Amino acid sequence: MTGREKAAILLISLGPASSAEIFKHLNDEEIEELTLEIANMRKVSPEEKEKILAEFYEICIAQEYISEGGIDYAKEILEKALGSQRAIDIIGKLTASLQVKPFDFARKAEPAHLLNFIQNEHPQTISLILAYLPSEQSGQILSALPQTKQAEVAKRIATMDRTSPEIIREVEAILEKKLSAVVSQNFAAAGGLDSIVEILSSVDRGTEKNIMDTLDFEDAELAEEIRKKMFVFEDIITLDSTSIQRFIREIDNKEMAIALKGATDEVANIIYTNMSKRMAEMIKEDMEFMGPVRLSDVENAQQKIVNTIRALEETGEIIIARGGGDEIIA
């Protein structure tokens, strides 16, 4: 859930009177964005409302502690009350919201609009900008770049370390002039393997495959390093039976049938083996009756399965064995 969605749910939960008071402290753009988010908001469950209110309360308490004695004092109090990890999470959210990051102005731009200004820039310039943008926004832009440039930009993000403030300010100034927006003056380290993995996790299946195939040819070692940190559809064969059976329960039969239309025999066989005989027969029948399927639909279905597996890994329900000497302790 995005910060804007959480803010909209918070305002809905607080009611019209309190929300109106909060709106008095926002600028016109923020009011417009939140109003639109509230108008498009789906039905929110009581559990979601409670979760957002609890998170908001925790951040407010953390802010109060910081005002009283600084971040270290706040962290110490929160650790005693909520535990070390929860305290780190809350302080992290709070301090992140207080910092202005490089290319902050670009975060408010539509990906398609931003693409128009940067698509003809040098791959190094594009990679620098994308490394500082949210992964979802960067993923959309990376997907829309010409295929010949996608892998080059991805490679440069993956191998990027620290960039001098002067270069960042120079690129920001040029982009600021093009977008006529407020430019940020701060800088931080960006790029690297984690950055490109996060971005690739947000792009469509076709873009991801094109980039990884190209990197396999141009820089096999880098491609392998990236693969160690991410999970793609073909990696289903590396999962154990329990994990495969777990994600199968989350996938609609029709979605599974579309995904398997473009799967390798190895992937299809291992999925069928972990289904009941009846379910496997039903999916095979669905595949026969649906006829030809567009490649984009197959890729989208496969990506949904990958996203489900990644989500299950985040909750600890699935363990993905990666390279690099990762150890699994029973």
Side-chain angles (χ1 to χ4, degrees):
M1 192 177 295
T2 65
R4 192 182 302 170
E5 288 172 331
K6 289 181 180 180
I9 292 175
L10 175 65
L11 292 173
I12 291 171
S13 304
L14 293 176
S18 298
S19 297
E21 288 300 314
I22 292 173
F23 273 175
K24 292 178 182 178
H25 300 277
L26 304 178
N27 60 42
D28 291 344
E29 185 182 354
E30 290 168 335
I31 292 173
E32 183 181 339
E33 289 177 351
L34 281 173
T35 303
L36 184 63
E37 194 68 50
I38 291 171
N40 293 325
M41 183 64 63
R42 57 180 172 74
K43 186 177 179 181
V44 183
S45 69
E47 292 78 15
E48 285 178 312
K49 286 184 181 180
E50 285 297 323
K51 187 177 179 181
I52 299 303
L53 285 170
E55 183 177 337
F56 176 67
Y57 175 73
E58 289 174 346
I59 291 176
C60 286
I61 294 296
Q63 177 67 70
E64 186 177 340
Y65 289 154
I66 289 175
S67 301
E68 290 176 5
I71 289 179
D72 289 339
Y73 171 76
K75 186 170 178 289
E76 182 182 348
I77 298 296
L78 290 171
E79 281 180 346
K80 290 178 181 177
L82 305 172
S84 178
Q85 187 56 52
R86 189 72 186 128
I88 291 171
D89 290 343
I90 294 171
I91 294 293
K93 287 178 184 176
L94 190 56
T95 53
S97 66
L98 299 174
Q99 296 171 357
V100 180
K101 299 177 181 178
F103 301 101
D104 187 60
F105 61 86
R107 294 165 180 261
K108 299 176 182 178
E110 289 293 327
H113 188 206
L114 194 54
L115 175 69
N116 289 334
F117 291 106
I118 69 172
Q119 60 183 343
N120 295 321
E121 297 290 341
H122 190 279
Q124 185 64 35
T125 302
I126 298 174
S127 64
L128 177 64
I129 295 169
L130 296 191
Y132 281 102
L133 296 180
S135 56
E136 184 178 352
Q137 189 180 19
S138 295
Q140 292 180 46
I141 295 171
L142 188 59
S143 299
L145 288 173
Q147 288 193 350
T148 53
K149 192 174 279 188
Q150 288 174 347
E152 181 63 24
V153 170
K155 179 180 178 180
R156 288 173 183 270
I157 294 174
T159 55
M160 189 183 299
D161 188 12
R162 294 187 67 89
T163 308
S164 73
E166 292 76 18
I167 292 177
I168 292 177
R169 281 195 290 267
E170 184 180 343
V171 176
E172 278 187 314
I174 295 170
L175 199 55
E176 175 198 16
K177 188 174 180 180
K178 290 183 177 181
L179 292 176
S180 300
V182 179
V183 64
S184 165
Q185 295 299 321
N186 292 344
F187 72 97
L193 285 174
D194 290 338
S195 180
I196 191 57
V197 166
E198 194 172 353
I199 291 172
L200 287 178
S201 299
S202 302
V203 304
D204 61 273
R205 169 71 173 153
T207 301
E208 179 187 277
K209 191 172 187 306
N210 171 61
I211 289 173
M212 294 309 297
D213 287 348
T214 306
L215 287 179
D216 276 332
F217 178 75
E218 293 186 354
D219 193 333
E221 187 176 339
L222 176 61
E224 180 60 26
E225 287 300 310
I226 293 173
R227 280 202 174 89
K228 286 177 182 178
K229 287 178 166 283
M230 70 183 298
F231 185 92
V232 295
F233 186 74
E234 288 76 16
D235 290 333
I236 285 174
I237 61 173
T238 66
L239 296 177
D240 58 45
S241 295
T242 304
S243 298
I244 295 173
Q245 292 162 16
R246 177 65 188 90
F247 84 73
I248 286 175
R249 295 202 298 270
E250 299 293 324
I251 306 299
D252 178 77
N253 280 7
K254 184 179 178 183
E255 203 76 55
M256 181 68 79
I258 296 173
L260 290 177
K261 271 277 189 180
T264 63
D265 290 342
E266 193 175 10
V267 172
N269 288 338
I270 199 167
I271 290 178
Y272 287 138
T273 336
N274 283 280
M275 290 179 175
S276 68
K277 186 177 179 182
R278 176 61 185 149
M279 179 183 278
E281 289 173 354
M282 288 172 60
I283 288 176
K284 288 176 182 177
E285 286 175 8
D286 287 343
M287 290 170 66
E288 284 182 30
F289 285 119
M290 72 174 58
V293 179
R294 287 180 301 186
L295 178 61
S296 59
D297 291 335
V298 173
E299 290 174 343
N300 287 338
Q302 290 180 352
Q303 193 60 49
K304 285 180 183 177
I305 292 176
V306 169
N307 292 342
T308 299
I309 292 171
R310 288 170 177 166
L312 289 170
E313 184 194 25
E314 286 180 8
T315 60
E317 298 181 64
I318 281 180
I319 294 177
I320 298 175
R322 292 179 168 82
D326 287 353
E327 295 183 6
I328 299 175
I329 301 174

